[in-house]
């Protein structure tokens, strides 16, 4: 501004999915001082060439197959603003770039000169999205009935508990930022934050973030823009629940709250729950559904023992007889596995619902067609993305309630699949 131009150093945004940034960090892994000077110098020249005043971000693309070299880095574009990942620059420089932007816009000079700026430590930012990576990154919409991102690191978000996640905006709901002395320490710190994210019933990519930052290529700093696409099966593998937490959830299903003074817990053991059978003295088993899948939990402690241990439900919600447990950045739904009167596919198991409001862009089957499990039936466009809806099992298209170009509401039945007679 006013003849002064500074660069606030580079940051790396290579970990992307479909050109959408997921993890950003500063400084860039593998960047030496000579390459840093060349790239940052080019950014300054670009701003000076157009007499630019204000905050701006110059983007370059690098061929790092032979390491970061100035002659293998090319100008891509300039954004005349701060970008989402500006906090990592703020963290390593100790500067408030939003304040800088406002001061320059008010006609003031830049707060510092280039020789007054330096890099301290390493910062990493992850974008927390309302989406389900296990289901093709399908955006997740709805009310944030429970929203707790912990109190470690730097958390930036524009939502709070009780807010509604709409299908009409970008699904990013928060930024998780850490700043540590080394990159290795920053990775561990970010993993710890993602691990304790508690959001329900909206799904998030917190566990996917954990998978990404623990990927061997990310750990070594050898990240390319196609890493997620290249190793999607590994990165979208959902973590399971820890045995101890599942044990605690089982304990919770066998206890009922009986009241007590403020800030104390008084429970009594439920002895007539279905699904519990005696195996041996002081040992019982309870049949549960863990995210809809049948599982048996062995219970070894009674109510008195649990109370002596100061028992409480850590990172868990009790909703209508179900326990929502949070672990590894995702939630698990645990409930009793009560006897069911029918087997096979239920009457509505083949209903294909619209997961969110959107527009049907294509219909790839007709009523009466035979379809195979996993076959795409139609495509829905919502939240600036296309989502393929597939057959849940082998069968026949019994009903088709959608047409290309049609706008549909959330939970609208778009098709119905019935099991094949044979």
């Amino acid at each position: 501004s006013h003849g002064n131009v500074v660069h606030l150093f580079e940051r790396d945004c290579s970990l992307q999915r479909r050109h959408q940034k997921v993890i950003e960090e500063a400084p860039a892994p593998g960047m030496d001082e000579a390459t840093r000077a060349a790239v940052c110098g080019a950014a300054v020249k670009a701003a000076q060439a157009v007499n630019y005043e204000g905050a701006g971000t110059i983007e370059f693309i690098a061929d790092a197959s032979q390491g970061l070299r100035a002659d293998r880095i090319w100008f891509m574009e300039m954004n005349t603003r701060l970008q989402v990942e500006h906090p990592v620059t703020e963290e390593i420089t100790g500067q408030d770039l939003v304040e800088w932007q406002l001061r320059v816009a008010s006609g003031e000079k830049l707060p510092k000169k280039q020789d007054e700026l330096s890099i301290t430590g390493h910062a990493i930012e992850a974008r927390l999205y309302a989406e389900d990576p296990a289901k093709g990154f399908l955006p997740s919409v709805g009310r944030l009935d429970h929203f707790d991102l912990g109190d470690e690191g730097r958390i930036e978000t524009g939502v709070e508990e009780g807010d509604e996640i709409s299908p009409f905006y970008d699904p990013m709901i928060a930024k998780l930022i850490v700043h540590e002395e080394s990159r290795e320490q920053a990775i561990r710190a970010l993993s710890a934050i993602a691990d304790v994210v508690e959001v329900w019933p909206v799904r998030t990519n917190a566990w996917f973030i954990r998978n990404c930052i623990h990927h061997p290529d990310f750990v070594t700093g050898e990240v390319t823009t196609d890493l997620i696409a290249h190793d999607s099966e590994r990165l979208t593998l959902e973590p399971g629940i820890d045995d101890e937490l599942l044990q605690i959830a089982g304990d919770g299903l066998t206890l009922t709250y009986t009241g007590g003074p403020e800030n104390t817990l008084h429970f009594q053991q439920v002895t007539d729950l279905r699904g519990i059978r005696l195996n041996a003295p002081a040992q019982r088993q309870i049949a549960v559904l863990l995210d809809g899948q049948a599982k048996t939990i062995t219970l070894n402690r009674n109510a008195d023992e649990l109370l002596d241990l100061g028992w409480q439900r850590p990172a868990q919600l009790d909703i209508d007889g179900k326990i929502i447990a949070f672990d590894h950045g995702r939630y698990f739904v645990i409930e009793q596995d009560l006897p069911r009167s029918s087997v096979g596919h239920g009457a509505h198991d083949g209903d294909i619902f619209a997961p969110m409001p959107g527009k049907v862009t294509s219909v790839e089957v007709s009523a009466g067609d035979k379809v195979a499990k996993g076959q795409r039936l139609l495509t829905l466009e919502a939240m600036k993305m296309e989502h393929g809806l597939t057959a849940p099992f082998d069968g026949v298209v019994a009903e088709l309630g959608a047409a290309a170009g049609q706008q549909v509401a959330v939970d609208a039945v778009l098709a119905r699949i019935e099991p094949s007679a044979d």
Side-chain angles (χ1 to χ4, degrees):
S1 176
H2 300 281
N4 295 319
V5 178
V6 300
H7 61 76
L8 286 110
F9 309 108
E10 83 292 339
R11 51 185 180 245
D12 185 282
C13 308
S14 296
L15 196 63
Q16 304 178 12
R17 185 183 69 81
R18 296 178 182 173
H19 308 296
Q20 182 183 59
K21 298 170 186 175
V22 179
I23 305 283
E24 301 114 347
E25 58 182 310
M31 178 71 78
D32 59 37
E33 288 301 327
T35 306
R36 173 175 293 122
V39 171
C40 292
V44 169
K45 290 179 182 178
Q48 289 174 330
V50 294
N51 295 318
Y52 184 75
E53 291 189 7
T57 308
I58 308 279
E59 292 197 3
F60 297 87
I61 189 166
D63 175 0
S65 59
Q66 300 176 22
L68 289 177
R69 291 171 22 192
D71 62 346
R72 305 296 292 170
I73 299 177
W74 296 271
F75 170 83
M76 188 165 65
E77 66 179 6
M78 178 175 183
N79 290 304
T80 54
R81 55 177 170 80
L82 296 178
Q83 295 196 174
V84 173
E85 61 272 20
H86 76 269
V88 293
T89 301
E90 292 185 329
E91 292 295 323
I92 66 167
T93 61
Q95 305 304 317
D96 185 335
L97 299 188
V98 176
E99 179 184 341
W100 279 40
Q101 185 178 34
L102 294 174
R103 288 186 179 279
V104 170
S106 299
E108 297 183 24
K109 291 186 176 182
L110 288 172
K112 288 184 179 291
K113 296 181 179 180
Q114 191 67 57
D115 58 9
E116 298 177 279
L117 298 171
S118 60
I119 294 175
T120 302
H122 198 94
I124 306 179
E125 171 185 294
R127 302 190 185 196
L128 188 70
Y129 289 108
E131 64 185 10
D132 190 348
K135 294 184 178 178
F137 297 91
L138 184 73
S140 183
V141 298
R143 189 173 183 270
L144 293 169
D145 290 335
H146 182 77
F147 186 73
D148 186 351
L149 304 184
D151 54 8
E152 296 297 324
R154 172 177 170 180
I155 308 295
E156 295 191 355
T157 181
V159 297
E160 60 185 14
E161 191 166 285
D163 284 349
E164 196 83 15
I165 301 300
S166 163
F168 304 111
Y169 300 97
D170 185 279
M172 186 174 67
I173 56 176
K175 297 187 290 186
L176 314 179
I177 305 127
V178 295
H179 180 219
E180 301 291 338
E181 291 184 6
S182 69
R183 187 172 186 269
E184 293 75 14
Q185 291 173 322
I187 289 174
R188 288 196 295 269
L190 181 57
S191 178
I193 291 175
D195 191 52
V196 298
V197 164
E198 296 182 18
V199 181
W200 180 84
V202 171
R203 294 281 183 183
T204 77
N205 68 331
W207 60 268
F208 173 74
I209 290 169
R210 291 180 73 255
N211 286 358
C212 286
I213 61 179
H214 288 298
H215 190 284
D217 288 354
F218 186 86
V219 171
T220 59
E222 299 174 2
V223 181
T224 64
T225 53
D226 67 350
L227 173 62
I228 292 175
H230 177 71
D231 209 1
S232 61
E233 185 173 348
R234 173 176 182 163
L235 293 172
T236 57
L237 181 64
E238 286 187 288
I241 188 171
D242 283 347
D243 289 341
E244 178 65 18
L245 190 56
L246 187 58
Q247 169 77 52
I248 292 171
D251 292 333
L253 287 173
T254 67
L255 299 176
T256 65
Y257 181 65
T258 60
E262 186 178 1
N263 297 325
T264 65
L265 296 170
H266 287 258
F267 294 87
Q268 66 182 17
Q269 199 85 26
V270 177
T271 59
D272 60 351
L273 284 179
R274 295 181 182 181
I276 294 180
R277 60 184 175 84
L278 292 176
N279 274 358
Q283 185 179 77
R284 295 164 300 117
Q285 289 186 329
I286 180 172
V288 301
L289 293 176
L290 174 61
D291 287 343
Q293 300 297 312
K295 192 173 182 66
T296 300
I297 303 175
T298 299
L299 305 176
N300 300 311
R301 298 176 294 200
N302 60 36
D304 291 337
E305 291 171 330
L306 292 169
L307 290 174
D308 288 342
L309 293 170
W311 183 90
Q312 55 183 322
R313 293 185 177 95
Q316 295 186 2
L317 305 175
D318 192 343
I319 308 293
D320 298 329
K322 300 178 182 180
I323 287 183
I324 314 299
F326 299 96
D327 197 20
H328 301 315
R330 61 165 294 205
Y331 68 77
F332 301 82
V333 180
I334 305 156
E335 59 187 311
Q336 277 188 265
D337 188 5
L338 300 177
R340 292 179 289 276
S341 59
S342 61
V343 296
H345 299 294
H348 300 289
D349 287 354
D351 287 356
I352 308 300
F353 296 97
M356 65 191 68
K359 178 182 179 181
V360 177
T361 57
S362 68
V363 178
E364 300 173 33
V365 294
S366 301
D369 286 357
K370 288 186 177 181
V371 294
K373 180 180 179 180
Q375 179 179 338
R376 180 174 294 213
L377 308 174
L378 51 90
T379 301
L380 183 70
E381 185 182 83
M383 296 183 85
K384 300 186 289 185
M385 295 175 62
E386 288 192 338
H387 313 284
L389 304 181
T390 61
F393 47 75
D394 294 348
V396 176
V397 181
E399 295 182 25
L400 190 62
Q406 179 181 352
Q407 291 285 342
V408 296
V410 63
D411 290 334
V413 178
L414 305 180
R416 177 170 290 128
I417 309 300
E418 291 184 353
S420 302
D422 54 357

